[in-house]
């Protein structure tokens, strides 16, 4: 109940700012109208700017900045494109005014100026199907119905399920362009899950979990949902730039190039294709002589993010355009199913058929895993690799290999290396050395892509600039940490708080090499989930597609919990193994 009150309070607090960042089209006509577009504008530039600045949403936002901003407007095909700047803040508002009627066709302010993904375009992520109420709420209902402890409705496990689903409220605001309401609503659930994982790791006692449904019911529902997810991805989803970057990287590697510094760019390359729906031509003749759709910032991920797309690339190819991209759909479906299968195998190994069915069902029914799949991003690759690393938990070398593969997909997994080096005990040099060796071997194997270039040293510098340097230095409105630039009322500059939390996270990750000394499967899952959630909390650029990174370990710690132990005696499985 307290969590719900906090969420409600945050929503009320930020709705005024959110309204200032939404867009609507409300006619405000001039005195003349016409159904045809005149060859010359009816209104002047100043008239259009004045009308745009008087629009309530724009006027409210401009109050946050000094008076007399810099303005400009250009006329194109019957529409005035208006832009407003304010000193060091840069462009603070932009939009379109219909010349014939005076209607405000578009009005974007704050983060919506530079970030089109903040504008709430329908189906921009995942397509319209996954974002529809029928599909989303249907998955939520199945998730809750299949996993809730109906015999103890007030149990903490049921609260965990509701918290996982409550992230949908934040997404609802995001889908309507209300960034200043959406982002604060994401943090209470993340903090709750972080605290719960730490609590379970501290006690090393699994939460009480009473599954109502028989194993065969959960298993049958999982198979049904798996088929539904495949069909939803293949027939009713879209591919955003993250997935498109995967097939570009696969193409570069397959043709003997490092992906870093060799992605298709726009200027100064000559145009070679038709305009898209927004009137922008993004196809350019690249250095390889091919006409390719540009994606200049796509080489910002680890090398495994591109290697993972090679099977799909070899099967389906690539037209060098941002079109249907069957190879990307194939890769998204593949790793989504691998994550589901891996959870089933982990549950089967450590808890038997019931735990296996529940863990797999949780992945299949939670709507945010399908949100990532329907957006066809690379965000299921890293967790799928970690799940299989957990499957070989008792193999020191294997743990190191899978942490490396996951880390060189999404860098967040680097935080797990100290924790995963020690199992079932910390500070055992032989085991730590074997795990570190596996990490180094896998790292060397995937970074062969840098040796595809004439100068590997130069390729390494390009890799650092395009990945680590870019990610650390980027600005983003999709968190609480970088809102000072928008002068939103009542929002302090939280960069100092963010730095403190980031340092605390790094210290906690390093301390995991030593504490706790004894590690059960439950404790490993809970601490893994806690570190990944902590990473997402302190990110400047956070998004809902990142939620699957930690979800498998929240499942294994809280929803379908693995076995733990409260004493220092290792379980029989581990005690029987040679050291």
């Amino acid at each position: 109940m307290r969590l719900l009150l906090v969420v409600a309070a945050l929503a009320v607090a930020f709705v005024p700012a959110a309204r200032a960042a939404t867009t609507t089209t409300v006619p405000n006509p001039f005195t003349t109208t016409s159904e045809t577009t005149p060859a010359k504008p009816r209104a002047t530039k100043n008239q259009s700017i004045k009308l745009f600045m008087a629009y309530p949403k724009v006027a409210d936002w401009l109050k946050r900045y000094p008076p007399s901003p810099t303005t400009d407007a250009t006329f194109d095909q019957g529409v005035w494109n208006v832009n407003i700047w304010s000193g060091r803040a840069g462009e603070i508002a932009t939009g379109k005014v219909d010349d014939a009627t005076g209607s405000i066709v578009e009005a974007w302010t704050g983060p919506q100026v530079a970030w089109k993904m903040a504008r709430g375009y329908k189906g921009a992520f995942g397509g319209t199907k996954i974002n529809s109420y029928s599909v989303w709420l249907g998955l939520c209902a199945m998730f809750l119905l299949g996993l809730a402890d109906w015999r103890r409705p007030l149990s903490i496990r049921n609260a965990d399920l509701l918290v996982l689903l409550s992230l949908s409220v934040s997404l609802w605001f995001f889908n309507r362009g209300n960034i200043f309401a959406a982002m604060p609503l994401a943090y209470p659930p993340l903090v709750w899950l972080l605290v719960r994982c730490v609590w379970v790791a501290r006690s090393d006692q699994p939460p009480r979990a009473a599954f109502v449904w028989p194993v065969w019911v959960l298993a049958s529902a999982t198979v049904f949902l798996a088929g539904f997810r495949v069909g939803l991805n293949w027939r009713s989803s879209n591919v955003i730039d993250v997935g498109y970057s995967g097939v570009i990287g696969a193409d570069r590697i397959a043709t003997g190039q490092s992906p870093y510094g060799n992605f298709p760019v726009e200027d100064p390359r000559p145009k070679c294709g038709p305009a898209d729906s927004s009137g922008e031509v993004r196809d350019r003749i690249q250095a390889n002589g091919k006409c390719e759709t540009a994606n200049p910032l796509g080489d910002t991920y680890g090398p495994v993010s591109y290697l993972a797309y090679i099977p799909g690339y070899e099967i389906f190819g690539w037209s060098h355009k941002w079109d249907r991209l069957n190879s990307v759909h194939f890769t998204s479906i593949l790793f989504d199913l691998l994550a589901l299968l891996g959870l089933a195998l982990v549950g089967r190994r450590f808890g038997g058929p019931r735990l296996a069915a529940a863990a797999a069902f949780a992945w299949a029914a939670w709507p945010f895993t399908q949100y990532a799949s329907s957006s066809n991003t690379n965000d299921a690759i890293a967790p799928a690799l970690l799940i299989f690393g957990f499957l070989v938990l008792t193999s020191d070398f294997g743990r190191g290999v899978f942490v490396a593969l996951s880390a060189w997909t999404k860098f967040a997994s680097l935080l797990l290396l100290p924790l995963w080096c020690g199992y079932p005990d910390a500070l055992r040099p032989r085991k730590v050395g074997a795990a570190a060796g596996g990490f180094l071997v896998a790292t060397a194997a995937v970074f062969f892509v840098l040796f595809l270039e004439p100068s590997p040293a130069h390729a390494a510098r390009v890799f650092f600039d395009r990945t680590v340097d870019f990610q650390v230095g980027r600005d983003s409105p999709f968190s609480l940490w970088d809102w000072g630039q928008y002068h939103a009322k009542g929002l302090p500059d939280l960069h100092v708080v963010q730095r403190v939390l980031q340092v605390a996270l790094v210290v906690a990750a390093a301390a995991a090499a030593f504490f706790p000394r004894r590690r059960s499967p439950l404790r490993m899952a809970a601490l893994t989930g806690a570190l990944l959630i902590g990473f997402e909390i302190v990110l400047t650029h956070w998004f809902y597609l990142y939620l699957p990174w930690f979800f498998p370990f929240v499942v294994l710690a809280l929803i379908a919990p693995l076995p733990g132990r409260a004493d220092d005696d290792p379980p029989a499985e581990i005690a029987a193994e040679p050291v």
Side-chain angles (χ1 to χ4, degrees):
M1 181 60 71
R2 291 181 179 176
L3 176 65
L4 294 176
L5 290 175
V6 171
V7 171
L10 283 170
V12 171
F14 287 97
V15 160
R19 287 177 177 171
T22 58
T23 183
T24 54
T25 301
V26 178
N28 184 10
F30 288 138
T31 56
T32 59
T33 60
S34 174
E35 295 182 359
T36 61
T37 301
K40 295 183 179 180
R42 296 176 181 272
T44 66
K45 176 194 292 189
N46 290 337
Q47 287 174 330
S48 299
I49 293 173
K50 185 176 180 180
L51 179 63
F52 181 74
M53 293 178 67
Y55 186 60
K57 171 192 172 178
V58 178
D60 179 71
W61 187 256
L62 295 181
K63 292 177 183 177
R64 307 164 191 269
Y65 297 88
S68 304
T70 303
T71 61
D72 191 20
T74 57
F75 181 75
D76 182 38
Q77 298 183 356
V79 174
W80 285 97
N81 298 285
V82 183
N83 305 92
I84 302 176
W85 298 267
S86 179
R88 295 175 61 184
E91 191 172 10
I92 58 175
T94 186
K96 300 178 183 293
V97 179
D98 186 270
D99 179 66
T101 65
S103 299
I104 306 301
V105 180
E106 293 181 6
W108 308 111
T109 59
Q112 295 174 328
V113 174
W115 294 84
K116 290 184 178 181
M117 63 184 285
R119 297 180 180 182
Y121 288 129
K122 186 177 181 180
F125 292 89
T128 56
K129 285 291 186 181
I130 183 59
N131 289 287
S132 66
Y133 286 120
S134 58
V135 173
W136 193 273
L137 294 180
L139 289 173
C140 289
M142 292 194 70
F143 182 78
L144 188 60
L145 182 66
L147 296 172
D149 185 351
W150 297 105
R151 300 169 186 173
R152 300 168 55 240
L154 299 181
S155 66
I156 191 69
R157 210 269 299 276
N158 288 351
D160 294 334
L161 293 173
L162 291 173
V163 168
L164 284 165
L165 294 177
S166 72
L167 287 158
S168 302
V169 178
S170 174
L171 181 62
W172 187 88
F173 279 98
F174 170 82
N175 283 340
R176 282 145 187 81
N178 296 351
I179 303 303
F180 292 125
M183 293 303 107
L185 291 174
Y187 287 90
L190 292 178
V191 171
W192 171 284
L193 295 171
L194 173 63
V195 172
R196 288 283 294 123
C197 284
V198 172
W199 181 267
V200 168
R202 179 180 178 275
S203 65
D204 205 10
Q205 291 281 12
R208 292 177 60 187
F211 297 108
V212 174
W213 306 110
V215 172
W216 70 268
V217 172
L218 285 175
S220 299
T222 302
V223 172
F224 167 79
L225 285 171
F228 174 78
R229 292 165 68 93
V230 170
L232 193 63
N233 179 298
W234 195 258
R235 300 185 60 183
S236 302
S237 70
N238 62 3
V239 178
I240 66 171
D241 57 346
V242 177
Y244 179 49
S245 69
V247 73
I248 297 173
D251 172 82
R252 297 305 191 252
I253 295 170
T255 55
Q257 281 186 312
S258 167
Y260 303 104
N262 290 311
F263 263 51
V265 298
E266 293 184 7
D267 297 332
R269 302 290 180 183
K271 299 179 181 179
C272 59
D276 59 19
S277 58
S278 62
E280 182 180 2
V281 177
R282 301 193 61 186
D283 295 345
R284 299 288 195 276
I285 299 295
Q286 302 300 320
N288 58 12
K290 294 182 171 63
C291 179
E292 297 180 339
T293 305
N295 187 10
L297 300 178
D299 54 343
T300 188
Y301 307 105
V304 180
S305 291
Y306 310 112
L307 293 168
Y309 285 82
I310 288 180
Y313 170 82
E314 294 293 342
I315 295 171
F316 295 98
W318 175 42
S319 67
H320 298 272
K321 302 295 178 63
W322 195 339
D323 50 20
R324 165 67 185 174
L325 295 173
N326 285 334
S327 57
V328 179
H329 287 273
F330 172 85
T331 305
S332 298
I333 292 171
L334 173 64
F335 281 93
D336 182 64
L337 294 178
L338 284 174
L340 188 154
L341 175 63
L343 276 171
L345 293 174
V346 169
R348 179 67 179 84
R349 177 181 180 184
F350 292 104
R354 182 172 294 276
L355 193 63
F361 175 85
W363 179 275
W366 198 48
F368 285 99
T369 56
Q370 183 57 41
Y371 187 69
S373 177
S374 289
S375 298
N376 286 284
T377 68
N378 55 22
D379 291 290
I381 300 174
L385 293 169
L386 283 179
I387 292 168
F388 279 91
F390 210 91
L391 183 63
V392 296
L393 191 61
T394 52
S395 169
D396 304 319
F397 186 85
R399 290 197 311 276
V401 167
F402 279 102
V403 168
L405 294 177
S406 179
W408 301 126
T409 305
K410 297 288 186 179
F411 300 134
S413 297
L414 286 171
L415 288 172
L416 303 178
L417 182 60
L419 172 67
W420 280 44
C421 275
Y423 178 84
D425 300 284
L427 302 176
R428 299 181 70 173
R430 180 178 175 184
K431 286 181 168 292
V432 171
F439 181 90
L440 293 175
V441 168
T443 297
V446 300
F447 273 97
F448 82 90
V449 299
L450 301 182
F451 291 87
L452 297 174
E453 295 296 301
S455 172
H458 174 73
R461 289 194 297 271
V462 173
F463 164 79
F464 179 83
D465 292 340
R466 303 295 295 178
T467 58
V468 177
D469 189 56
F470 171 75
Q471 295 288 358
V472 170
R474 71 188 306 186
D475 298 326
S476 174
F478 302 108
S479 71
L480 296 178
W481 312 118
D482 202 28
W483 281 4
Q485 61 178 303
Y486 301 114
H487 294 265
K489 293 180 179 178
L491 295 179
D493 188 342
L494 297 176
H495 279 103
V496 173
V497 177
Q498 181 191 23
R499 295 294 180 267
V500 170
L501 294 177
Q502 288 173 336
V503 170
L505 176 66
V506 173
V507 170
F514 309 98
F515 307 102
R517 187 174 68 86
R518 305 292 287 168
R519 290 135 190 244
S520 67
L522 175 66
R523 185 168 270 171
M524 289 289 289
L527 290 176
T528 298
L531 288 172
L532 293 175
I533 294 169
F535 181 86
E536 295 196 23
I537 288 175
V538 302
L539 273 181
T540 298
H541 183 76
W542 177 85
F543 200 57
Y544 306 94
L545 297 169
Y546 304 165
L547 294 173
W549 298 0
F550 66 74
F551 179 69
F553 302 97
V554 168
V555 169
L556 297 174
L558 307 180
I559 308 305
L562 298 175
R565 63 184 186 273
D567 52 54
D568 287 335
D569 294 327
E573 171 201 18
I574 299 169
E577 290 185 355
V579 176

